[in-house]
Amino acid sequence: MRVQHYLEERKIMVKSHQHSYLNQASSEYLEEMLEIYRHSPEQLEPTWKYFFDGFELAQSQMASEQSLAQTDRSMGNVRVSGHEHAGVEAFINLYRTLGHLCAHTSPLSLAPEIETKMLPAAHGLGDISAEAKFSPANFGRGNMTFTDIWSKLKQTYCGRIGADYRDIQNIEAVVWLQQQMEQVSNTPQFSVDKKMRMLKKLGQAEGLEKYLQNRYLGQKRFSLEGLDALIPLLDHILDDGSNMGIEEVNIGMAHRGRLNVLANIMEKPLEKILVEFEGSHANPFDIDGDVKYHMGYASEVKTASGGTVALFLCPNPSHLEAVNPVLEGFTRRRQEEIGEHGRKKIVPVLLHGDAAFIGQGIVAETLNLSKLGGYTTGGTIHIITNNQIGFTTNPFDSRSCFYSSDISKMVRAPVFHVNADDVEAVCWVGHLALEYRQRYGEDVVIDLIGYRRHGHNETDEPSFTQPQMYKLIKKQQTAFKKYGAQLVSAGVASAEQLKELELACKQRLQDAYARIHAPGYAGPQLPQPPQRYTDILSYAKPSRREVMSVPTTAITELEVKALAQQMLAIPDGFHANAKIMKLFETRRNMLEGAGSIDWGFGELLAFASLVAEGHRVRLSGQDCKRGTFSSRHGVIFDQESGTEHPYLRGIGKGDIDILNSPLSEQGCLGFEFGYSVACPGGLVIWEAQFGDFVNGAQIIIDQFLAASEAKWAQTSRLVLMLPHGFEGMGPEHSSARVERFLQLCGNLNMIVCNVTTPAQIFHLLRCQVKREVRKPLVLFTPKSLLRHPKVRSPLLDFTSMDFQPLFVQGEQQLLAKAGKIIFCSGKVYYELLEMRDQHQEYQDVPIVRLEQLYPFPFELLGEKVLAKMPHLKSVIWVQEEPQNMGYWSFVRPRLVALTENRAVVSYVGRKHSGTTAEGSPKAHQLEQQRILTEAFGSACAWAPGQNLNEQSTYRKL
């Protein structure tokens, strides 16, 4: 039935592709069609059937001639027909392709019978003479009887390993895998030392879980029991990796089995783990930290062969699979640090749950990054810790495909389904997976199929929903007991050795427990992390003063002009677009006289200046090279050859990448976050196509960007550039949801800005790198202002200023006499300014821009603005966003506190709404005009305590 089910799936897939790919069929696609022709020809269209009828006939005649000649030479009187030769070749191919469906991969079931469709008789091979010998291509050595061939096929492909690899499009890789598996029939012989090492790691895995269960009954730990072989698997990968020249392995995983990996792979001190169970490390006055099975760790371990490997385990939230792109970005930057051979020396390993791997969309997003030039890490080893259940949900309720690993077929990754109770099979596929990754630089999947001995957590009762499954689980011996008995039976180990190993595993835990309860115990002493991670892991909680400090970011006029000269030089023979030539000429002219630099040029000057100073700059996002609004053109293209010219490269000691990303928010932002963690001294930017689309990455924002410092002491300088502004483009092209980011702000966890001049973006980006403390920056960027005639900065602003959290320039002379002041942020400032310039009666109203929203510039507002307004009676906050969105809920209590009841703090903007903006451009224009008019009319603004029904702005509330 497994074969039938699988074939039905493949038929559906092929039928859906028959027409669209007919004219460009690849060899892999033709092979798949041929397989369906051989097993279920009725599923194919007549044209395909006629095609393969002729193909089979020609192949049969050719094979017959070759076979007869060979038989006469080497097989005496035993004649083997051409049909039988072709049939044996097809039979071998059948097992290579579908043998995994008959493999014994689940510890909870008996070895399955070979299904009827996989038997020789179903393929016309039931009557082959026992004496007849064959020499199939690329299989075995020399002449073999069909009985020997079938026996080898069953052992290789229908044992405890199910190899699902024939979707690979690289023929060399397919042949290599076949040779590796078939030459040892997927049952290699391990040395006694390696077998004892496997046994020891199984004992450590089981011993930890049992000890924690008994000592801390009722505490959640998300036990590994049922998948204990994960520990010898990882241990084997590290040992093999060290022998292959791998220096560093970065690991991402969810909570199940994490404590076991920390203790028995990462070698995190047991005292530290036990202290976390005791809860004695907690500080009740701080909202920080995380549960013990989310924490990360870095270490350097000795392998079984005496090598050394550095390990980094990424911290992660409970949001399953969210860590995947974070780990990939982290690894990518670590590989770049090493240089040319980085991808061979640093390997990412991702552990997944079976339900999560197929269920979470971020898995597909991350897989899609695996072969892209700006994102590849040279192949990831994926390990599915498959306990055949998702919390309480059965597989048939959680996926539409046959295997939970089937999502990996999108990148044609080979998959090894393996029985978790056969530790030798598990370690063998670990070796295959690692060598495949190192050889071909592509992803590979190990589907480690076991079970979950307890419920979802240790307080859960699983038999409520899976009663039959848990009856079987209760009868299961542990992997340690099974393998120990196997080794005793084979004479490799003795019963006394098993007992000693169990006692040793228990004793080390008891010793750790005794140490943390000894009189005068001062807490666990963690070893220093490896030197290679020092900059990444260094952390000291900063003060508000440190976060608010603004470093010097100005550069000299000579430096600006020298950078521009290098940037705007087009190489000889490069055929630039005529409009690009004109743009570059315009940018040269921007530096003449006092200068008049626009947004796009100011931003590029920031990048160039940092590269010249030796910093790493990485900007990625959808359409980043050109820019969504055609304002950047950070990479230009030859109009004849299509060749790219990344003209910011080579300017100095640093380096820069400006990348167009896939159409993904969550996966790409996660990648850039991980990259930024591993690049503490660089400028890493992710830019949304429109700020409205950033909510596609909300999990990364909430769990990593905003909270990683508080939870894990993990810092990042990542910049989010989010185009934001109301211009009549509708609800999905107006708002980056400012209010959501401001709501996430707390305890100095990030910086939030909306800057309004080219010089400000220049200084802010440089400030982000030069500031001592590492904080993420959420930056709301303009759209219409990119070409606004007033959004220009003189050269002097680049050479004599630094970043200004608050803009009061030009308004100081109005403050002393004014009784009313308007505060705002972003694009609306220029509309207010235009409104004031057009009306004489509004000339005495000062307008102050908040360029930095968080940390809120209390001191600057008090000293530079409010302290200079003795007649202040009215403070107006103006915004384009609806009242329940934007800045108002955030700034209102802060403005009230600053005014100290000297003035009424009022609001002007759109009313409360369930959507961000109007759908009609005409309605937008009318609403913008109303907001601007009411901003300068004191009777129209809303203040706390007023009757909303009397205000024209709120009659529709």
Side-chain angles (χ1 to χ4, degrees):
M1 292 300 293
R2 287 166 59 89
V3 175
Q4 184 63 34
H5 181 189
Y6 186 83
L7 287 175
E8 287 297 328
E9 283 190 356
R10 304 299 278 178
K11 291 169 194 172
I12 292 169
M13 290 169 61
V14 172
K15 288 183 76 174
S16 67
H17 288 78
Q18 281 180 5
H19 295 287
S20 58
Y21 290 116
L22 187 57
N23 293 327
Q24 47 184 335
S26 67
S27 60
E28 184 273 345
Y29 176 67
L30 286 171
E31 182 179 339
E32 189 170 31
M33 296 293 283
L34 178 57
E35 283 299 302
I36 291 182
Y37 165 82
R38 286 173 173 166
H39 296 293
S40 303
E42 70 279 0
Q43 297 295 325
L44 294 176
E45 291 183 342
T47 52
W48 278 106
K49 291 178 69 176
Y50 297 148
F51 172 81
F52 285 122
D53 283 344
F55 174 81
E56 289 282 275
L57 178 61
Q59 186 185 54
S60 176
Q61 290 174 343
M62 185 185 305
S64 177
E65 293 172 2
Q66 295 172 346
S67 173
L68 287 173
Q70 183 176 1
T71 300
D72 290 339
R73 286 195 306 270
S74 61
M75 297 183 186
N77 297 323
V78 180
R79 277 194 178 274
V80 179
S81 71
H83 174 75
E84 287 175 328
H85 262 292
V88 169
E89 293 282 2
F91 194 70
I92 292 169
N93 192 49
L94 170 71
Y95 271 73
R96 285 169 169 170
T97 306
L98 299 178
H100 58 87
L101 298 173
C102 298
H104 182 200
T105 54
S106 172
L108 299 181
S109 65
L110 299 173
E113 296 289 335
I114 301 296
E115 295 195 32
T116 304
K117 289 195 173 186
M118 300 285 285
L119 295 175
H123 301 272
L125 302 174
D127 298 324
I128 290 181
S129 169
E131 299 177 20
K133 293 189 176 182
F134 301 84
S135 297
N138 298 315
F139 184 83
R141 293 180 180 178
N143 296 330
M144 300 174 68
T145 66
F146 179 68
T147 301
D148 291 338
I149 290 172
W150 189 26
S151 176
K152 189 174 184 67
L153 287 171
K154 287 187 289 184
Q155 189 175 7
T156 304
Y157 296 110
C158 303
R160 299 290 187 91
I161 297 169
D164 187 0
Y165 65 101
R166 292 301 290 270
D167 286 312
I168 299 172
Q169 293 177 316
N170 182 341
I171 295 174
E172 180 193 334
V174 172
V175 172
W176 180 83
L177 276 174
Q178 286 172 180
Q179 290 173 344
Q180 296 300 304
M181 292 186 289
E182 291 169 1
Q183 67 187 1
V184 295
S185 300
N186 260 341
T187 53
Q189 294 301 308
F190 290 98
S191 69
V192 170
D193 286 345
K194 285 188 179 294
K195 291 181 178 183
M196 292 304 294
R197 176 78 177 189
M198 294 176 202
L199 183 67
K200 178 182 177 181
K201 300 311 284 187
L202 283 176
Q204 289 178 349
E206 181 179 313
L208 178 71
E209 299 295 355
K210 283 186 173 180
Y211 185 86
L212 294 177
Q213 176 72 8
N214 294 330
R215 177 64 68 180
Y216 302 104
L217 184 65
Q219 283 207 44
K220 293 181 182 179
R221 68 180 192 279
F222 297 97
S223 161
L224 185 62
E225 292 164 278
L227 288 164
D228 310 61
L230 175 66
I231 300 304
L233 169 61
L234 291 173
D235 182 69
H236 197 80
I237 287 173
L238 296 182
D239 191 36
D240 275 358
S242 175
N243 294 332
M244 294 179 191
I246 291 169
E247 298 175 358
E248 181 179 321
V249 174
N250 299 319
I251 303 172
M253 66 181 297
H255 39 278
R256 183 157 311 284
R258 190 180 188 92
L259 295 177
N260 219 308
V261 170
L262 282 165
N264 294 315
I265 295 297
M266 306 288 298
E267 298 181 2
K268 182 176 180 178
L270 294 174
E271 295 99 301
K272 176 63 175 172
I273 294 174
L274 297 183
V275 163
E276 290 167 353
F277 272 91
E278 299 273 331
S280 55
H281 67 297
N283 182 345
F285 301 104
D286 279 339
I287 306 176
D288 60 12
D290 201 350
V291 292
K292 50 192 167 289
Y293 39 79
H294 287 172
M295 304 303 288
Y297 194 67
S299 62
E300 198 165 73
V301 300
K302 290 286 186 183
T303 68
S305 301
T308 302
V309 179
L311 301 178
F312 186 90
L313 176 63
C314 276
N316 73 288
S318 283
H319 296 65
L320 301 175
E321 309 297 334
V323 76
N324 296 4
V326 177
L327 176 87
E328 298 292 351
F330 181 90
T331 302
R332 170 65 181 233
R333 180 54 192 163
R334 296 291 304 139
Q335 292 171 340
E336 290 176 351
E337 292 279 358
I338 287 183
E340 182 182 357
H341 302 293
R343 291 179 196 168
K344 295 289 187 184
K345 293 183 177 181
I346 299 181
V347 175
V349 176
L350 278 173
L351 277 64
H352 315 269
D354 49 318
F357 192 67
I358 192 63
Q360 294 290 310
I362 197 170
V363 174
E365 291 188 35
T366 306
L367 287 169
N368 186 50
L369 299 176
S370 66
K371 297 184 182 182
L372 303 181
Y375 299 88
T376 183
T377 54
T380 298
I381 297 175
H382 300 270
I383 302 173
I384 302 174
T385 51
N386 188 342
N387 49 40
Q388 306 186 65
I389 189 172
F391 206 153
T392 66
T393 303
N394 290 310
F396 53 77
D397 288 324
S398 64
R399 64 176 185 256
S400 296
C401 53
F402 195 79
Y403 292 116
S404 61
S405 59
D406 279 351
I407 189 68
S408 65
K409 289 186 180 293
M410 65 180 284
V411 293
R412 310 290 183 178
V415 181
F416 301 102
H417 310 282
V418 60
N419 190 316
D421 271 5
D422 188 335
V423 66
E424 292 188 12
V426 169
C427 289
W428 167 240
V429 299
H431 171 82
L432 279 178
L434 181 62
E435 193 164 347
Y436 178 87
R437 186 267 177 196
Q438 292 297 91
R439 183 179 290 264
Y440 298 106
E442 296 190 353
D443 286 23
V444 58
V445 179
I446 298 172
D447 185 12
L448 183 64
I449 303 174
Y451 54 90
R452 190 186 65 196
R453 188 165 290 279
H454 305 287
H456 177 67
N457 59 63
E458 288 67 36
T459 64
D460 199 24
E461 177 47 72
S463 61
F464 288 154
T465 49
Q466 279 76 31
Q468 294 172 312
M469 183 184 208
Y470 274 85
K471 285 178 184 176
L472 292 172
I473 290 173
K474 285 179 181 179
K475 298 175 183 177
Q476 287 289 315
Q477 268 195 323
T478 65
F480 174 72
K481 297 288 187 189
K482 287 182 179 181
Y483 191 53
Q486 179 183 326
L487 294 188
V488 170
S489 176
V492 175
S494 66
E496 289 75 18
Q497 284 178 296
L498 297 188
K499 190 65 176 175
E500 288 172 5
L501 182 54
E502 282 188 276
L503 290 173
C505 293
K506 184 177 181 180
Q507 189 62 48
R508 71 181 189 129
L509 288 155
Q510 289 177 334
D511 290 346
Y513 183 81
R515 285 193 292 272
I516 69 173
H517 287 277
Y521 178 68
Q525 298 299 311
L526 290 178
Q528 288 296 316
Q531 183 70 31
R532 62 178 63 213
Y533 299 128
T534 300
D535 289 344
I536 295 169
L537 297 175
S538 63
Y539 178 71
K541 197 168 186 177
S543 66
R544 175 179 169 83
R545 181 177 180 179
E546 289 174 309
V547 177
M548 289 296 292
S549 67
V550 176
T552 299
T553 52
I555 60 176
T556 68
E557 182 176 339
L558 284 175
E559 288 173 319
V560 173
K561 291 185 175 179
L563 289 172
Q565 184 176 3
Q566 287 180 275
M567 291 163 56
L568 301 175
I570 296 176
D572 293 340
F574 187 88
H575 306 92
N577 185 287
K579 292 181 179 179
I580 295 296
M581 299 284 284
K582 184 177 180 181
L583 172 67
F584 276 31
E585 184 61 33
T586 300
R587 286 177 174 172
R588 290 189 193 95
N589 295 335
M590 288 178 183
L591 298 177
E592 293 182 356
S596 181
I597 296 170
D598 69 4
W599 190 280
F601 196 23
E603 178 193 81
L604 290 169
L605 283 169
F607 298 157
S609 65
L610 289 170
V611 172
E613 292 169 2
H615 296 285
R616 171 71 171 142
V617 177
R618 177 182 167 98
L619 167 64
S620 73
Q622 297 152 27
D623 314 303
C624 271
K625 293 180 180 180
R626 189 202 73 171
T628 300
F629 311 102
S630 199
S631 61
R632 178 176 296 125
H633 295 285
V635 176
I636 60 175
F637 297 81
D638 190 293
Q639 296 300 289
E640 295 186 7
S641 66
T643 304
E644 295 185 9
H645 175 42
Y647 56 86
L648 294 180
R649 283 188 182 166
I651 283 180
K653 300 175 185 176
D655 195 14
I656 183 169
D657 281 320
I658 299 178
L659 304 166
N660 285 345
S661 77
L663 196 63
S664 154
E665 282 77 38
Q666 188 176 358
C668 289
L669 180 56
F671 187 98
E672 301 308 329
F673 179 84
Y675 190 100
S676 70
V677 170
C679 189
L683 179 64
V684 183
I685 304 171
W686 178 79
E687 182 177 52
Q689 191 181 62
F690 282 82
D692 310 66
F693 306 147
V694 72
N695 56 9
Q698 200 66 47
I699 290 174
I700 302 298
I701 294 165
D702 292 347
Q703 308 306 321
F704 290 93
L705 189 86
S708 68
E709 182 180 353
K711 291 192 293 187
W712 311 313
Q714 184 181 67
T715 57
S716 163
R717 295 185 193 270
L718 181 62
V719 179
L720 270 64
M721 281 186 172
L722 309 176
H724 173 86
F726 285 54
E727 286 127 353
M729 296 180 70
E732 274 73 56
H733 293 82
S734 298
S735 175
R737 296 287 190 171
V738 175
E739 66 282 354
R740 293 182 178 172
F741 289 97
L742 293 176
Q743 188 182 42
L744 286 170
C745 293
N747 203 16
L748 305 173
N749 63 331
M750 66 173 81
I751 298 167
V752 178
C753 294
N754 189 346
V755 298
T756 52
T757 74
Q760 280 284 83
I761 187 66
F762 172 85
H763 291 298
L764 180 57
L765 292 177
R766 287 177 54 77
C767 181
Q768 183 66 4
V769 175
K770 294 180 174 293
R771 186 184 277 118
E772 287 293 326
V773 297
R774 301 198 288 259
K775 298 286 179 180
L777 168 63
V778 178
L779 176 58
F780 302 104
T781 55
K783 295 176 287 184
S784 60
L785 295 190
L786 293 170
R787 294 177 177 81
H788 195 290
K790 289 195 173 183
V791 185
R792 298 290 184 100
S793 293
L795 189 55
L796 190 64
D797 286 359
F798 292 79
T799 61
S800 63
M801 286 177 53
D802 296 314
F803 173 65
Q804 305 295 310
L806 183 73
F807 245 127
V808 194
Q809 283 86 337
E811 308 294 323
Q812 293 95 329
Q813 69 275 16
L814 300 177
L815 297 178
K817 297 181 180 179
K820 170 181 175 178
I821 186 170
I822 291 175
F823 287 107
C824 64
S825 188
K827 175 183 77 75
V828 73
Y829 165 77
Y830 289 97
E831 294 170 293
L832 288 165
L833 187 64
E834 184 179 3
M835 185 76 169
R836 187 176 69 177
D837 290 346
Q838 291 173 354
H839 295 82
Q840 184 63 37
E841 64 272 28
Y842 301 156
Q843 298 296 309
D844 59 349
V845 180
I847 307 170
V848 174
R849 288 169 276 175
L850 269 69
E851 302 279 288
Q852 178 175 302
L853 281 303
Y854 189 81
F856 195 75
F858 284 104
E859 299 85 356
L860 291 173
L861 268 172
E863 295 169 10
K864 291 192 174 183
V865 181
L866 299 179
K868 298 181 179 181
M869 299 186 71
H871 307 294
L872 181 65
K873 298 296 181 185
S874 176
V875 173
I876 311 293
W877 177 263
V878 179
Q879 68 179 38
E880 303 174 293
E881 299 84 359
Q883 187 178 357
N884 57 315
M885 303 177 195
Y887 314 89
W888 172 240
S889 297
F890 179 81
V891 300
R892 181 190 164 199
R894 290 163 173 79
L895 292 176
V896 169
L898 276 167
T899 56
E900 299 177 331
N901 296 320
R902 288 196 300 134
V904 174
V905 178
S906 308
Y907 167 85
V908 172
R910 284 172 169 79
K911 67 177 185 178
H912 284 80
S913 175
T915 186
T916 55
E918 305 85 3
S920 161
K922 182 65 175 176
H924 161 79
Q925 292 171 3
L926 293 172
E927 187 66 358
Q928 287 293 103
Q929 187 60 41
R930 179 195 64 75
I931 291 170
L932 297 174
T933 302
E934 292 189 2
F936 289 97
S938 59
C940 296
W942 173 80
Q946 289 182 321
N947 183 351
L948 294 185
N949 291 326
E950 295 176 0
Q951 300 301 316
S952 61
T953 310
Y954 296 101
R955 284 175 185 159
K956 295 180 182 179
L957 275 178

